[in-house]
Amino acid sequence: MKLILAALSLSLVNYSTRPTCPTSSLLGGRDRCLAKLQGDLLRTKYGIGIVTKRATGSNALVNQNQDTSYYGSLAIGTPPKTFDVILDTGSADLWVASSSCVTGCGNVPTFNPASSSTFKNQSTPFAITYGSGAASGSLGKDVVQMAGFSLSNQVFDQRLLAHDPGLWTIGTWVADYCCFWGHPLLADPSFWGSWTSPLMSFVLTRFGNSSSQASAEPGGVFTMGYVNSSLYSGNIEYTSLTGSGSYWLIPLTSITVNGNSALSGSQTAAIDTGTTLIGGPSAGIAAIFAQIPGSVAGTGQYAGYYLYPCDSQVNVTMSFGGGQAWSISPADFKLQSVSSSQCLGSFFDITSSGSDAPQWIVGDTFLKNVLSVYRFNPAAVGFAALSPAAGALASGAVPTATLTGATGSSTASSSATYSTVDHGPLRDTGRATGFGST
């Protein structure tokens, strides 16, 4: 982990060119001028009341395959080429398919280094194994743009083999840390330092309980540099990060099921927009379903999950940092029906390894129910109640890709329709592929 330090600088004032007042004035005008001048000089010296114009941006999202994943768009290279990318707070990497890709890259846009005048080959190979697949390729650097913001010399992965076919990923980890020795784009102060506020937010739509949904639907919105106040009500409740500072990791302090406690003590939770469901330790998942009569542990392709009676109304809440209890809709708790009487729950068992591994991974099953905020400085995750305007984001046309200025928006293409569950390094949470709706 690198520590990013802000340097203070002293500025010299050229008093020979400072503004002056006229030597004579009627009715005390000179005195008023001097008083105003002194006030202005003091405000300038200490930066009081000075408004610095900064920038914000937004990226309209696409909801893919009944809430399986949410993607936006960015552009790479000169001239820029747009790519659909899953905006993943549980990952640190930006990767797209290379034009030389030989496996798992069919029917998706690819990046051709020869077509970009600003591309720099890093000549560094990589290989990685996820819970739901594997990939390998090489690293490169180029200009990356999103919603009018750009960053030169951004490291990204060109995938030559992708055994988990699907959309490409941009990581949004909190820290200056990356699996492939690059800087996560959205965590780079060179990128978010130009924002009006050092934070980003998500509102995610719900189509998982719809019987007439398309493979691509309006997915909500991702904002940079601000939080759209029309999309939430009340206050944003922030919880400071814990742990090493790589994941968006906060303390999970309460889970209730139909009003009964199902969590003992405080445990760590990674807030992960790139994960569809909610994963937790064996004991914690068992405690949740122990509160639902008729629940049984899954076997075979459902191993690690629990089945429960479909006619049960399950109301779950989660609290973080000892704060407010946030409700999860019963529609989100039910992943799918597996028979006329049994349904599959969206909480499942993960086995964490290593001292830094989160005990819980909180994905879109929860995040669809709140506006979530990810603040870089001071580092924290925030939640707020959704407003009626947030619900309206599920209406209208599916967004298409555009590149605009920093105060405009970049919206996502709907060309890719692959079914993927999880794309970042928290890969043990992506086992729903194979029985999820398509």
Side-chain angles (χ1 to χ4, degrees), residues 34 48 57 59 75 99 123 153 159 167 179 221 261 268 283-284 324 328 334 346 384 396 430:
L34 287 171
I48 301 171
N59 198 304
S99 57
S123 300
N153 295 320
R159 300 216 163 182
L167 293 167
C179 300
V221 66
S261 176
T268 58
Q324 177 175 339
I328 296 176
K334 182 175 75 172
S346 58

Side-chain angles (χ1 to χ4, degrees), residues 215-268:
S215 60
E217 295 283 3
V221 66
F222 167 62
T223 69
M224 292 167 281
Y226 78 110
V227 179
N228 187 336
S229 60
S230 71
L231 298 180
Y232 70 94
S233 59
N235 298 319
I236 300 173
E237 180 184 84
Y238 285 101
T239 301
S240 297
L241 297 196
T242 186
S244 64
S246 53
Y247 301 119
W248 292 99
L249 196 69
I250 57 177
L252 172 64
T253 50
S254 173
I255 297 176
T256 68
V257 181
N258 294 334
N260 300 313
S261 176
L263 181 72
S264 176
S266 177
Q267 300 184 15
T268 58

Side-chain angles (χ1 to χ4, degrees), residues 257-258 260-262 282-297 306-308 314 333:
V257 181
N258 294 334
N260 300 313
S261 176
S282 299
I285 300 301
I288 289 172
F289 286 92
Q291 303 295 332
I292 308 172
S295 296
V296 295
Y306 278 76
L307 288 77
Y308 70 98
V314 183
F333 182 84

Side-chain angles (χ1 to χ4, degrees), residues 86-95 128 130 157 159 169-175 177-180 184-185 187 246-248 271-274 422-427:
I86 292 175
L87 298 163
D88 187 354
T89 60
S91 173
D93 305 310
L94 167 58
W95 58 270
I128 188 170
Y130 296 145
D157 316 329
R159 300 216 163 182
T169 297
I170 178 171
T172 58
W173 270 9
V174 64
Y177 173 83
C178 181
C179 300
F180 302 128
L185 174 66
S246 53
Y247 301 119
W248 292 99
I271 310 303
D272 185 359
T273 58
D422 191 41
H423 295 266
L426 305 179
R427 297 306 83 170

